[in-house]
């Protein structure tokens, strides 16, 4: 589904992604871990089409199509979704109004009929339950004045409505309380299907008890220095990142 | 018509012609005021950019065009169906065509006892004493060319009088429609008197059936009695080649609450002046404004809040969305007089520039002579936020949709403060149209 080959990206001339290679198939869950500043969010943003980052080398294929040539909205319409580490506040635009416009843009692209107000409301009511979202957040301006946890929950609510084929969740767990984490993770699991895939970026093994990954990757200095099964996350929790960093340096030196 | 002498001579000749057509009315008390105003106008001439108040707004194209009022007998007949679209269904409506009251197009429903809603011309016949006392007593005609010009030529306008303690539930809508007649001078004069504890919503709309180089020069005086509660909305949606200059002069007695909402989006050069004076304690005044300009439009808003009494509160929010090569001007004066202790004044001015060629000149002007006061002001000028655009696009909206959604939200913030529901709805669709127009022309 997603194929990242030797991806390099810069911001203002400094290299942040340093040759990322990753393959994600339909039905899989991948976890990306790594120290602060290692480039996890940059990778997520580059995949979503953020123009601040210059891709200097490499290739990304999404269902065989060149992802890097697409505008952000085309990527979304093709089924890519990124839950932001820091969801953006949009004063004056109601959450549901925005979501309806987004969903209909995506549906139109897929050749489906646009949903009318009533159909949309039904869908929203149903998907809200999935993440146990408070109804009052629906008509408020997008993320404005939402608590940290509410913002994260709202991201997954958007995901539930838009039903992407590839979802990249950038630290959706941080900011959620213990109960909320379980609820949101359950929601994500319910959205998991054979024909979609999820990449979760996280610092905490705890999330991976709920959303069980098929693969865990460690990103250090803009490169994936180690990949493994879900046990790798436990090992990282125990030992920290230093040992993978050292190992990577040794390999680099060779 | 380049020189001031030529301009003065022109308006004298127009005045002489008008005087002849007035017949007996030329003997009235108001006509004496007119004559005085004309002379005052001739002395002052049109302001130039050397005048601090007009520094950013060059009105040469207006000053050099020979405008003349549309004679009553020649006003075009307009079918009610052509006007319907501009009306506010829930309101009493006074409709004016090229400055002349049209009884056929107006609909004035039943009124509570003592309430008067009629044209100024009718009021001058039936309520002469009231007019004599209040008309042209408040707006500053002595120092102001445009007020003087309006006084000299005004024959009609709207008159609303709400007696003490009466609440008019329906809004009163004054629709000033232009037919786009070239070089037409349209000088409406409005007078709104609201007694103690009176309540009313007043809406002034300026719109055009066709484009044309006409000139609306309007003066409105609004007197808010003690404890009165008033909303005054003004939609300036003149045609693209026209000129619009307006003076709204508000006088607030103790404990009165006045909310003024201005949406300025039409005209090639448009200037609105809104002044409120607190003549009694514990008044509350809210001034909201929205400018939407595109192409080569120049839209200038000047506001003055005169805290002449203690314990008054004013809130001001003026926003502008400028696209293309549009030029916006905002000047917000707040005077706090020596005795006006415990004044609470807050002014906010926010401009969204949608293009590199759009310009805003913004100038808060606070003059505070009392010491125990709270006055704040802030001005921001910016573009659409890149993070917000990306967030919306990453969920599937295209760039244009994302920009429109954000721009609309910025503008709608002002529209949502209007309480007249169908005006609000109409503005929503006008803003969408205007955003679209900005895109085409830039
Ligand atoms: N727009 C930008 N301008 C300048 N530097 C940037 C920009 N975006 C990212 N960086 C830098 O790139 C590096 C990687 O940042 P990124 O946000 O991708 O890290 P991260 O792995 O997501 O970290 P965290 O775990 O703290 O979220 C950091 O050093 C960051 O300061
Ligand atoms: Mg990050």
């Amino acid at each position: 589904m997603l194929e990242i080959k030797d991806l390099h990206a810069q911001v203002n001339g400094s290299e942040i992604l340093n040759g990322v290679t990753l393959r994600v198939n339909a039905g899989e869950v991948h976890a990306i871990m790594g120290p602060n500043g290692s480039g996890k969010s940059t990778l997520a943003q580059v995949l979503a089409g953020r123009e601040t980052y210059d891709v200097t080398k490499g290739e990304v294929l999404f269902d065989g199509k060149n992802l890097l040539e697409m505008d952000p909205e085309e990527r979304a319409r093709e089924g890519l979704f990124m839950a932001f580490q820091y969801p953006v506040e949009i004063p004056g635009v109601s959450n549901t109004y925005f979501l309806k416009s987004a969903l209909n843009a995506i549906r139109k692209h897929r050749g489906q009929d646009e949903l009318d107000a009533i159909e949309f409301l039904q869908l929203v009511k149903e998907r809200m339950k999935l993440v146990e979202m408070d109804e009052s957040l629906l008509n408020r301006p997008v993320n404005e004045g939402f608590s940290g946890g509410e913002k994260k929950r709202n991201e997954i609510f958007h995901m539930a409505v838009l039903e992407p084929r590839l979802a990249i969740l950038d630290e959706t767990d941080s900011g959620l309380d213990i109960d909320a984490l379980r609820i949101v993770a359950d929601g994500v699991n319910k959205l998991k299907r054979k024909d979609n895939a999820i990449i979760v970026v996280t610092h905490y093994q705890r999330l991976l008890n709920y959303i069980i990954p098929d693969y865990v990757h460690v990103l250090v200095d803009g490169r994936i220095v180690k990949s493994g099964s879900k046990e790798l996350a436990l090992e990282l929790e125990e030992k920290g990142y230093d040992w993978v960093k050292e190992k990577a340096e040794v390999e680099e030196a060779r | 018509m380049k020189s001031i002498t030529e301009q003065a001579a022109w308006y004298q000749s127009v005045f002489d012609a008008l005087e002849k057509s007035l017949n007996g009315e030329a003997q009235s008390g108001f006509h004496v005021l007119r004559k005085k105003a004309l002379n005052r106008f001739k002395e002052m001439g049109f302001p130039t950019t050397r005048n601090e108040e007009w520094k950013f707004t060059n009105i040469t194209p207006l000053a050099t065009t020979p405008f003349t009022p549309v004679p009553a007998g020649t006003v075009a007949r307009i079918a009610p169906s052509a006007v319907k679209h501009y009306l506010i269904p829930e309101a009493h409506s006074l409709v004016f065509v090229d400055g002349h009251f049209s009884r056929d197009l107006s609909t004035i429903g039943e009124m509570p006892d003592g309430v008067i809603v009629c044209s100024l011309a009718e009021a001058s016949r039936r309520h002469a004493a009231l007019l004599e006392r209040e008309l042209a007593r408040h707006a500053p005609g002595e120092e102001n060319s445009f007020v003087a010009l309006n006084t000299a030529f005004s024959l009609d306008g709207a008159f609303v009088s709400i007696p003490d303690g009466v609440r008019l539930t329906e809004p009163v809508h004054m629709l000033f429609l232009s037919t786009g007649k070239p070089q037409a001078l349209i000088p409406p004069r409005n007078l709104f008197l609201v007694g103690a504890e009176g309540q009313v919503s007043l809406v002034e709309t300026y719109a055009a059936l066709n484009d044309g180089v006409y000139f609306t020069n309007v003066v409105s005086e609004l007197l808010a009695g003690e404890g009165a509660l008033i909303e005054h909305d003004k939609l300036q949606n003149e045609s693209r080649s026209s000129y619009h200059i307006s003076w709204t002069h508000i006088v607030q007695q103790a404990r009165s609450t006045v909310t003024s909402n201005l949406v300025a989006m039409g005209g090639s050069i448009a200037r609105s002046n809104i002044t409120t004076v607190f003549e009694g304690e514990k008044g509350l005044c809210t001034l909201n404004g929205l400018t939407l300009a595109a192409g080569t439009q120049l839209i200038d808003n000047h506001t003055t809040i005169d805290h002449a009494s203690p314990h008054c509160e004013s809130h001001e929010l003026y926003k502008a969305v400028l696209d293309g090569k549009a030029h916006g001007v905002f000047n917000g004066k707040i005077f706090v007089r020596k005795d006006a202790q415990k004044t609470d004044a807050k002014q906010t001015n926010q401009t969204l520039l949608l293009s590199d060629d759009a310009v805003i000149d913004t100038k808060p002007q606070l003059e505070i002579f009392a010491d125990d006061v709270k006055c704040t002001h802030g001005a921001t000028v910016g573009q659409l936020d890149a993070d917000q655009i990306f967030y919306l696009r990453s969920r599937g909206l295209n760039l244009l949709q994302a920009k429109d959604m954000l721009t609309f939200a910025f503008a709608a913030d002002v529209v949502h403060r209007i309480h007249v529901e169908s005006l609000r709805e109409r503005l929503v669709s006008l803003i969408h149209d205007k955003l679209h127009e900005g895109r085409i022309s830039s």
Side-chain angles (χ1 to χ4, degrees):
Chain A
M1 174 179 283
L2 181 75
E3 194 149 8
I4 307 173
K5 293 181 202 159
D6 194 28
L7 185 65
H8 290 248
Q10 295 184 345
V11 60
N12 305 326
S14 69
E15 187 134 277
I16 297 169
L17 296 184
N18 236 315
V20 175
T21 298
L22 178 67
R23 187 191 166 91
V24 178
N25 296 312
E28 293 177 351
V29 175
H30 290 241
I32 296 180
M33 303 181 81
N36 292 134
S38 58
K40 303 179 299 296
S41 294
T42 302
L43 176 62
Q45 301 254 342
V46 167
L47 293 176
R50 184 75 214 235
E51 278 147 3
T52 337
Y53 303 97
D54 301 320
V55 173
T56 48
K57 200 176 157 195
E59 181 180 41
V60 181
L61 298 176
F62 184 45
D63 289 332
K65 293 181 199 157
N66 183 348
L67 188 76
L68 299 177
E69 270 185 354
M70 298 180 202
D71 285 334
E73 59 267 30
E74 267 182 272
R75 301 178 195 206
R77 292 170 189 185
E78 288 285 325
L80 187 100
F81 177 91
M82 177 187 57
F84 284 56
Q85 181 176 357
Y86 304 108
V88 181
E89 299 194 1
I90 316 279
V93 176
S94 97
N95 207 9
T96 42
Y97 175 70
F98 164 46
L99 203 51
K100 182 166 175 253
S101 313
L103 178 66
N104 281 335
I106 292 171
R107 288 181 65 93
K108 215 170 138 189
H109 180 77
R110 290 184 192 149
Q112 294 168 316
D113 285 340
E114 296 190 9
L115 293 189
D116 64 28
I118 296 165
E119 293 166 324
F120 178 73
L121 208 65
Q122 271 170 349
L123 178 75
V124 158
K125 289 257 149 80
E126 181 198 314
R127 300 296 150 91
M128 249 170 51
K129 287 192 204 123
L130 217 59
V131 288
E132 296 183 20
M133 238 223 353
D134 193 314
E135 196 159 349
S136 71
L137 300 181
L138 286 181
N139 295 317
R140 275 172 54 183
V142 183
N143 293 323
E144 193 186 38
F146 286 24
S147 75
E150 285 169 343
K151 284 181 182 168
K152 297 303 177 79
R153 207 185 279 235
N154 192 41
E155 292 290 278
I156 302 306
F157 167 60
H158 285 186
M159 172 184 167
V161 171
L162 301 179
E163 297 185 279
R165 287 188 314 107
L166 175 66
I168 305 164
L169 312 183
D170 190 358
E171 290 197 34
T172 301
D173 52 340
S174 50
L176 290 175
D177 69 42
I178 301 161
D179 294 332
L181 177 68
R182 187 176 35 76
I183 292 160
V184 168
D186 278 352
V188 171
N189 284 330
K190 282 184 200 137
L191 293 167
K192 233 195 94 188
R193 292 196 314 246
K194 275 204 177 60
D195 61 347
N196 63 21
I198 301 171
I199 299 174
V200 291
V201 174
T202 182
H203 286 295
Y204 306 107
Q205 201 276 333
R206 199 177 59 216
L207 174 72
L208 305 179
N209 287 335
Y210 298 112
I211 304 175
I212 296 165
D214 300 295
Y215 301 93
V216 175
H217 311 277
V218 184
L219 193 72
V220 176
D221 291 338
R223 296 178 59 186
I224 291 177
V225 295
K226 192 167 178 59
S227 297
S229 65
K230 63 176 191 290
E231 278 72 31
L232 176 58
L234 287 166
E235 210 174 341
L236 290 167
E237 179 98 348
E238 200 181 307
K239 299 198 216 163
Y241 288 117
D242 282 352
W243 65 281
V244 264
K245 280 193 205 166
E246 279 159 24
K247 250 179 83 189
E249 276 159 23
V250 172
E251 272 163 32
E252 184 114 325
R254 259 188 234 152
Chain B
M1 231 173 68
K2 288 219 161 45
S3 74
I4 294 186
T5 348
E6 280 175 286
Q7 290 161 14
W10 169 257
Y11 285 103
Q12 180 67 58
S13 70
V14 172
F15 189 82
D16 293 342
L18 178 77
E19 204 166 33
K20 277 199 199 100
S21 73
L22 287 178
N23 299 325
E25 212 258 310
Q27 309 308 316
S28 75
F30 189 66
H31 195 68
V32 177
L33 279 182
R34 272 193 203 118
K35 269 190 172 149
K36 251 178 74 185
L38 179 77
N39 288 332
R40 197 63 199 110
F41 169 76
K42 282 164 60 189
E43 283 161 28
M44 289 184 282
F46 285 109
T48 67
T49 51
R50 284 191 302 272
N51 178 332
E52 188 62 26
E53 286 300 295
W54 294 87
K55 194 170 151 189
F56 302 114
T57 302
N58 184 349
I59 53 151
T60 307
L62 182 166
T64 52
T65 307
F67 291 103
T68 171
V70 179
T74 68
V75 176
R77 292 196 77 80
I78 311 289
S81 59
V83 174
K84 209 167 160 236
H85 156 78
Y86 298 94
L87 295 173
I88 292 172
E90 68 264 36
H92 303 284
S93 0
L94 296 167
V95 180
F96 299 81
V97 178
D98 286 340
H100 294 274
F101 179 63
S102 164
R103 186 165 303 282
D104 295 347
L105 299 175
S106 302
T107 43
I108 303 167
E110 291 255 335
M111 290 294 161
D113 273 354
V115 172
I116 307 167
V117 174
C118 66
S119 73
L120 196 71
E122 184 179 334
S124 68
R125 291 189 298 271
R126 298 176 46 181
H127 310 282
L130 201 52
L131 252 58
E132 183 82 20
R133 203 170 63 227
E134 306 288 1
L135 187 65
R137 302 290 171 205
H138 306 279
E142 276 302 304
E143 323 107 71
N144 189 305
S145 312
F146 288 102
V147 174
L149 189 70
N150 172 279
T151 307
F153 290 100
S154 67
L155 292 174
D156 215 346
F159 179 66
V160 176
S161 173
I162 310 286
D164 292 355
V166 174
R167 168 168 180 246
L168 187 61
T169 35
E170 309 83 22
V172 180
H173 183 205
M174 287 130 288
L175 171 62
F176 296 93
L177 266 183
S178 156
T179 60
K181 193 171 175 183
Q183 301 180 8
L185 172 66
I186 304 174
R189 183 74 181 216
N190 303 314
L191 181 61
F192 311 123
L193 308 175
V194 183
E197 316 295 333
Q199 294 185 27
V200 67
S201 294
L202 303 161
V203 183
E204 294 178 34
T205 298
Y206 297 83
L209 295 167
N210 304 294
D211 188 22
V213 185
Y214 64 91
F215 171 29
T216 300
N217 178 37
V218 52
V219 175
S220 300
E221 289 166 298
L222 166 57
L223 308 185
E226 285 187 16
L229 180 61
I230 301 165
E231 174 168 314
H232 179 266
D233 304 320
K234 181 184 155 190
L235 165 58
Q236 187 277 97
N237 190 24
E238 304 273 20
S239 85
R240 64 170 67 221
S241 309
S242 70
Y243 304 107
H244 178 99
I245 310 271
S246 84
W247 298 82
T248 304
H249 195 86
I250 305 167
V251 179
Q252 288 189 242
Q253 300 304 328
R255 292 179 294 99
S256 61
T257 300
V258 175
T259 303
S260 148
N261 300 304
L262 165 68
V263 178
M265 56 200 287
S268 72
I269 299 175
R271 158 85 165 248
S272 286
N273 305 269
I274 298 179
T275 298
T276 190
V277 184
F278 288 112
E279 286 201 343
E281 298 191 7
K282 296 189 179 152
L284 169 63
C285 161
T286 306
L287 302 184
N288 300 313
L290 172 66
T291 292
L292 296 172
T296 55
Q297 281 184 294
L298 191 172
I299 298 187
D300 174 349
N301 295 318
H302 270 56
T303 64
T304 303
I305 302 173
D306 190 347
H307 282 269
S309 302
H311 294 282
C312 293
E313 202 179 315
S314 65
H315 304 278
E316 180 166 19
L317 172 67
Y318 263 68
K319 288 190 159 194
V321 179
L322 307 176
D323 203 347
K325 294 191 171 104
H327 180 181
V329 179
F330 173 73
N331 177 286
K333 292 186 186 64
I334 297 178
F335 299 131
V336 182
R337 307 286 172 186
K338 203 164 105 257
D339 300 326
Q341 302 297 0
K342 304 285 177 197
T343 287
D344 186 349
K346 183 170 189 237
Q347 180 188 89
T348 310
N349 175 227
Q350 298 173 335
T351 305
L352 181 59
L353 298 175
L354 295 180
S355 86
D356 293 340
D357 297 328
V359 189
I360 177 84
D361 286 297
T362 172
K363 185 176 168 201
Q365 198 177 329
L366 277 61
E367 294 179 23
I368 302 167
F369 302 101
D371 42 29
D372 186 11
V373 300
K374 210 167 88 193
C375 290
T376 61
H377 71 93
T380 57
V381 179
Q383 280 137 15
L384 289 172
D385 182 86
D387 289 336
Q388 292 180 341
I389 293 178
F390 177 63
Y391 186 78
L392 300 183
R393 291 178 82 188
S394 79
R395 300 280 137 102
L397 301 187
N398 69 30
L399 182 60
L400 234 51
Q401 283 176 305
K403 284 182 170 178
D404 276 2
M405 202 176 263
L406 295 172
T407 308
F408 183 80
F410 177 86
D413 178 25
V414 172
V415 173
H416 289 148
R417 291 160 201 257
I418 293 170
H419 287 100
V420 178
E421 194 182 331
S422 26
L423 175 63
R424 221 169 41 230
E425 284 165 10
R426 190 166 142 63
L427 283 168
V428 164
S429 76
L430 280 173
I431 292 171
H432 280 299
D433 294 351
K434 183 76 185 183
L435 292 180
H436 192 61
E437 175 201 327
R439 198 148 63 225
I440 289 166
S441 66
S442 59

